[in-house]
Amino acid sequence: MRVLFMSEHFWPQMGGDETWSVELLRRVRERGHDAIAMVAGRAPGFPAKEEVRGVPVIRLGLREALIARDIGALAEARALAQSTWREHAPDVVHVYIAGPAATIVEPGLAASPCALVAKIDELIVHKSGRLEEVLRRVAARADAGAALSGLAAREIEGLVPELAGRIAVIPHGVPAADIPAVPRPDVLTFGMLARLVEQKGVDIALRAFAS
């Protein structure tokens, strides 16, 4: 099976989505499937094409072109996206609906129809309670959806009723083998592992345990 994974960023850029996605694609390829990543962003110093942990990665530079309002760079990014879609001829496309990556989906499906799985950014849902029209349109035509929690799935169904009953709850995880075994402590211990950014709510966790 040929899989095209579309996201805004990718490893080695740091973040939960960047971490789980490279692990997911690595495991999919280990099972014999032809999976590649097509990434909307291309930070300075990153090549347009490379291999990360055995996963072919195409970085479009679409986000940067939009921010700079560079029509030429935007045209190049879209051309690279269209040629990648055409050459890979995916059986399944997984798109992370959070920004410019989703805008590639409609022309891609028009040129080469395939199954579509949509993962919607839960932060967009929680903070704004709405989706931009192009993002909602792509989500609505998906064959299946993915969410991090039951709450997020219900909120997404409220925004995209076309996905009702077709959203799987798939929490992010890490390989169990990477976690060393330790003796069970005598007292209950809590831990939180996250980037120190506002959206992760580390300050809320600290206040909660302090009280």
Side-chain angles (χ1 to χ4, degrees), residues 135-147:
L135 303 186
R136 203 208 73 80
R137 203 164 58 232
V138 170
R141 69 183 299 174
D143 298 284

Side-chain angles (χ1 to χ4, degrees), residues 128-211:
S128 66
R130 61 184 294 271
L131 285 174
E132 296 294 336
E133 178 55 27
V134 65
L135 303 186
R136 203 208 73 80
R137 203 164 58 232
V138 170
R141 69 183 299 174
D143 298 284
L148 283 178
S149 67
L151 173 61
R154 291 190 295 273
E155 291 180 337
I156 291 167
E157 287 182 345
L159 293 175
V160 190
E162 294 90 341
L163 273 176
R166 292 187 286 120
I167 299 177
V169 176
I170 307 175
H172 288 176
V174 294
D178 293 347
I179 304 176
V182 296
R184 184 180 295 275
D186 295 330
V187 296
L188 189 61
T189 303
F190 291 88
M192 181 174 183
L193 180 63
R195 291 179 293 131
L196 290 177
V197 294
E198 181 183 1
Q199 68 198 47
K200 298 300 181 182
V202 176
D203 57 324
I204 298 174
L206 291 173
R207 290 198 300 272
F209 283 105
S211 62

Side-chain angles (χ1 to χ4, degrees), residues 13-211:
Q13 290 178 275
M14 295 300 295
D17 289 299
E18 293 80 357
T19 302
W20 76 262
S21 57
V22 70
E23 183 65 23
L24 170 67
L25 292 180
R26 189 176 68 81
R27 298 298 179 93
V28 169
R29 290 183 65 84
E30 285 178 355
R31 295 189 179 192
H33 302 294
D34 185 1
I36 68 171
M38 185 160 66
V39 187
R42 186 169 77 231
F46 286 93
K49 297 182 179 182
E50 64 175 337
E51 191 170 286
V52 178
R53 296 187 180 180
V55 178
V57 180
I58 294 87
R59 302 182 191 272
L60 302 176
L62 182 61
R63 294 178 61 90
E64 292 73 18
L66 287 169
I67 291 170
R69 298 185 178 184
D70 186 331
I71 299 299
L74 179 60
E76 290 179 7
R78 292 184 67 85
L80 177 57
Q82 291 166 7
S83 65
T84 299
W85 192 306
R86 183 173 58 253
E87 292 166 9
H88 191 61
D91 300 301
V92 177
V93 168
H94 180 293
V95 58
Y96 181 45
I97 295 182
T103 66
I104 301 298
V105 173
E106 290 182 307
L109 288 176
S112 179
C114 63
L116 178 65
V117 178
K119 180 179 183 293
I120 301 175
D121 188 336
E122 66 278 4
L123 287 176
I124 292 179
V125 176
H126 290 320
K127 285 189 173 183
S128 66
R130 61 184 294 271
L131 285 174
E132 296 294 336
E133 178 55 27
V134 65
L135 303 186
R136 203 208 73 80
R137 203 164 58 232
V138 170
R141 69 183 299 174
D143 298 284
L148 283 178
S149 67
L151 173 61
R154 291 190 295 273
E155 291 180 337
I156 291 167
E157 287 182 345
L159 293 175
V160 190
E162 294 90 341
L163 273 176
R166 292 187 286 120
I167 299 177
V169 176
I170 307 175
H172 288 176
V174 294
D178 293 347
I179 304 176
V182 296
R184 184 180 295 275
D186 295 330
V187 296
L188 189 61
T189 303
F190 291 88
M192 181 174 183
L193 180 63
R195 291 179 293 131
L196 290 177
V197 294
E198 181 183 1
Q199 68 198 47
K200 298 300 181 182
V202 176
D203 57 324
I204 298 174
L206 291 173
R207 290 198 300 272
F209 283 105
S211 62

